[in-house]
Amino acid sequence: MVEPNEPVPQGTRRMPAVPKVLLWIVGIVVSLVLIVFIASFFIDEPLRRTTERRMNQSLKGYKVRLPKLHFSLIGLSITLKGLTISQEAHPQPPVAELPYLRASVQWREILSGKLVGDMTLNGPKVHVNLLQLKAEAASKVPMKQKGWQQAFEAIYPLKINLLKISDGSLTYIDEDPKRPLKLSNLSLSADNIRNIHLPDKVYPSEFRLETDIFGSGHGTVEGRANFLAEPTPAVKAAIELAKVPIAYFAPMAARTNVRIEGGVLSASGNVEYGRKVQTARFKKLSINGVKLDYIHTPETARAESRRAQKVKKAAKEVSNKPDLILTIEHFSLTESNVGFINSYGGKKVRLFLSDANLYLDNFSNQFSKGPAKARLSGKFMGSGATQATATFRPEDKGPDLDLYLKIDNTQLASLNDLLRTYGNFDVTAGTFSLVTELHVKNNRVNGYIKPFFKDMKVYDRRQDKNKGFFHKVYEMLVGGIAKLLENRPHEQVATKADISGPLQNPKTSTWQVVVELIKNAFFKAILPTFERNVDALGKHK
């Protein structure tokens, strides 16, 4: 070690002394930083109260509770913890819980000459139930006037340009609290929200959304957007859905007379939504393993009719609309059970197709896209081999449809509910088959329905032992008439009902035509051979 007054050895340089002024500057800066850091804690509580009050003053119909807030003067950031938002009409559960929200200056955009912010949310939970939705729908204050934008501006004054959400969840409870519709592990990233970069592009902002759906399903939405577009944000994105369990929609479907059990949905495609164009193109849309029933009752007949009118009106509005393109390149319904239930007077008849497989290609709302083609296979009533093909086009001048259907060797005993309801008898043996061809074009329908009955046995002493004497006689007579009408070479009862003429309602949609065909074929034309004779015999029971 060299003493101060000793000469410096040759080859050794003396380190220059640090100026006292620089030491004072460093000390002052450090002290100021410490003062600012400590002072920021003293302003937290007044700022928390002010922020909570301003948010509540902005919102209409909702209340905010903010237990903790921290403002950092160093990074000009603000952190909120435990923020909850509740609907005043139904405060429990809170519609939103935000355990951690941080907003700060987006420093990188300072170089672009823009003063904007970024926001990060960890673990946010949005929870909505049917009562809250009904209260919102009944409110006289439009959603745009609820004050949401002003409330969030009260949190942080800068416009948010970057938004990140991690580990979020969105839960909706309809009528069944045991079956919530829940998106979990939700993450969202959206950048350039204020269109700072690429402002001339139609979709200048990037975003990505990923979430688990109802536990076992998964979905991603990734693309670009213009969040500042008017009157609503514009978006163009790719969508991927995988193994989404659709039975969770059962409570909502029940309100439209549809009963759903089981089933999973998968889909992939692209959507674009803007002021001048709305498109949805699905390359693939598939449903597997669902049990689906449409239930008709006299009590809901009027509501069904009103819904049909709304569907017809909506279909007419979107058909061939130039700025609205809806396309499904390939749709499949596989390994499913699809039925129609007619219930009235304490009686219930269910007609169904088991092991159903439906394939639909080139479905579109645009006539110029050409015809869609459908193929259907399954087992009618669990036994009758069923094959059907259909070609139909988007409606231009009314429904445009060609349909071919063939059902072979359905066990007649499986139709006993139908036979008892419409013919007041049942069978113990025999088979049923049906062939139909239908063409609908230019508001006219042409075709035929031809049912076959083979080896039918109506009366059985053991099966009918508990029935009344006159009912036994009635079933014997029905069986006898079947024998008299039997086609001897083929040992089958056959009849043919020709269908020809104008549509009763030219504005009926293609789907309504198909539904009416099913109802008429299976509930009216299935017993044409017996209709007159059964009615006559029924008067003598």
Side-chain angles (χ1 to χ4, degrees), residues 322-366:
D323 58 350
L324 177 62
I325 301 174
L326 305 174
T327 303
I328 300 177
E329 294 182 11
H330 182 73
F331 170 80
S332 63
L333 175 74
T334 55
E335 300 177 7
S336 296
N337 188 304
V338 182
F340 178 86
I341 297 176
N342 197 29
S343 178
Y344 69 96
K347 298 179 180 180
K348 181 184 293 185
V349 176
R350 180 177 188 259
L351 300 173
F352 65 90
L353 191 69
S354 62
D355 300 329
N357 294 291
L358 170 65
Y359 301 96
L360 175 64
D361 296 304
N362 195 40
F363 176 78
S364 174
N365 70 322
Q366 298 295 321

Side-chain angles (χ1 to χ4, degrees), residues 500-513:
S500 179
L503 291 178
Q504 292 182 352
N505 186 351
K507 296 182 180 179
T508 302
S509 70
T510 300
W511 295 110
Q512 284 178 286
V513 170

Side-chain angles (χ1 to χ4, degrees), residues 131-157:
L131 290 176
Q132 292 167 336
L133 276 186
K134 289 181 177 179
E136 182 62 44
S139 174
K140 296 181 180 180
V141 181
M143 181 61 71
K144 290 185 177 180
Q145 298 178 17
K146 294 286 186 179
W148 292 103
Q149 181 177 346
Q150 294 85 348
F152 276 93
E153 287 177 352
I155 295 175
Y156 201 69

